[in-house]
């Protein structure tokens, strides 16, 4: 659930903050042959990561992030800190990161993005440093922008991705 710790008040619009609602969710199908557990974090951003133990020492991390577009460098630093913590763990070789990062100025090509925004460039560099490639190749927002991202550090993890008219959906 959204809290003031994970979703700081937008300095440009303090009345916009809504304490009820919001937040991020990861649901794991009960019929999957995998054990799941939340990766404990002190991250001060709306970012949730779950470890899926697939057996035989095979792990997959799924992370979900929501970022308010007007939150700046401190929010970026929190997200980066959490993703670096995960990438440094030897057992986490495969990672899928999904979410709405509100990178409004990014022009997305398959696998990477381009922007002139300093902060958005930091996000793109962070994705690249963690080996993430963007899987969504069509707009996910009614304004023609791609705001909902599906990033993966392994090409084989995301298949049959479709951007539906009003939102991104993957399976």
């Amino acid at each position: 659930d959204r809290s003031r710790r994970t979703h700081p008040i937008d300095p440009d619009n303090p009345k916009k903050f809504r304490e009820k609602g919001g937040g991020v969710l990861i649901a794991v199908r009960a019929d999957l042959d995998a054990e799941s557990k939340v990766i404990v974090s002190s991250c001060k951003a709306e970012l949730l990561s779950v470890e899926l133990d697939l057996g035989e020492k095979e792990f997959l991390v799924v992370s979900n992030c929501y970022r308010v577009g007007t939150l700046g460098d401190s929010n970026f630093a929190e997200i980066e800190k959490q993703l670096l913590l995960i990438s440094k763990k030897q057992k986490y070789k495969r990672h899928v990161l999904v979410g709405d990062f509100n990178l409004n100025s990014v022009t997305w090509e398959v696998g990477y993005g381009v922007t002139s925004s300093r902060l958005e460039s930091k996000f793109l560099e962070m994705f690249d440093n963690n080996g993430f490639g963007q899987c969504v190749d069509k707009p996910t927002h009614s304004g023609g922008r791609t705001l909902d991202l599906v990033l993966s550090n392994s090409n084989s993890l995301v298949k049959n991705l479709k951007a539906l008219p009003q939102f991104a959906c993957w399976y």
Side-chain angles (χ1 to χ4, degrees):
D1 287 342
R2 178 169 291 160
S3 71
R4 291 186 190 276
R5 185 180 74 77
T6 63
H7 186 103
I9 292 174
D10 181 345
D12 295 335
N13 191 353
K15 293 182 180 182
K16 185 177 177 182
F17 181 82
R18 284 186 247 156
E19 197 158 324
K20 297 196 187 280
V24 292
L25 170 79
I26 296 174
V28 180
R29 287 174 41 161
D31 64 340
L32 286 178
D33 188 20
E35 295 284 324
S36 64
K37 73 175 184 180
V38 172
I39 297 173
V40 178
S41 167
S42 62
C43 183
K44 294 177 184 162
E46 285 191 64
L47 175 63
L48 174 66
S49 297
V50 172
E51 168 193 300
L52 297 177
D53 183 344
L54 307 174
E56 298 185 28
K57 297 184 179 180
E58 240 189 287
F59 298 92
L60 169 65
V61 175
V62 177
S63 297
N64 186 358
C65 183
Y66 173 71
R67 176 188 162 269
V68 174
T70 55
L71 294 180
D73 288 319
S74 62
N75 183 252
F76 166 79
E78 289 293 326
I79 294 169
E80 181 181 46
K81 178 178 71 173
Q82 177 65 11
L83 294 178
L84 284 173
L85 194 136
I86 291 169
S87 70
K88 287 181 181 178
K89 292 193 178 185
Q90 195 66 23
K91 71 178 185 178
Y92 298 147
K93 292 181 176 42
R94 301 186 309 165
H95 193 168
V96 175
L97 172 63
V98 300
D100 181 351
F101 286 85
N102 281 303
L103 302 176
N104 295 321
S105 301
V106 174
T107 301
W108 289 101
E109 302 293 332
V110 175
Y112 66 94
V114 177
T115 185
S116 59
S117 162
R118 181 194 61 79
L119 182 60
E120 291 183 0
S121 291
K122 289 172 74 169
F123 273 94
L124 296 177
E125 184 178 330
M126 175 188 61
F127 297 152
D128 189 51
N129 289 344
N130 282 280
F132 288 122
Q134 161 67 304
C135 303
V136 178
D137 62 356
K138 298 206 177 358
T140 60
H141 186 269
S142 60
R145 297 182 312 256
T146 304
L147 301 182
D148 303 297
L149 308 182
V150 178
L151 301 138
S152 172
N153 67 354
S154 173
N155 292 340
S156 65
L157 290 176
V158 179
K159 297 177 184 172
N160 301 323
L161 182 87
K162 295 179 185 176
L164 301 177
Q166 293 298 316
F167 56 93
C169 178
W170 65 287
Y171 45 85

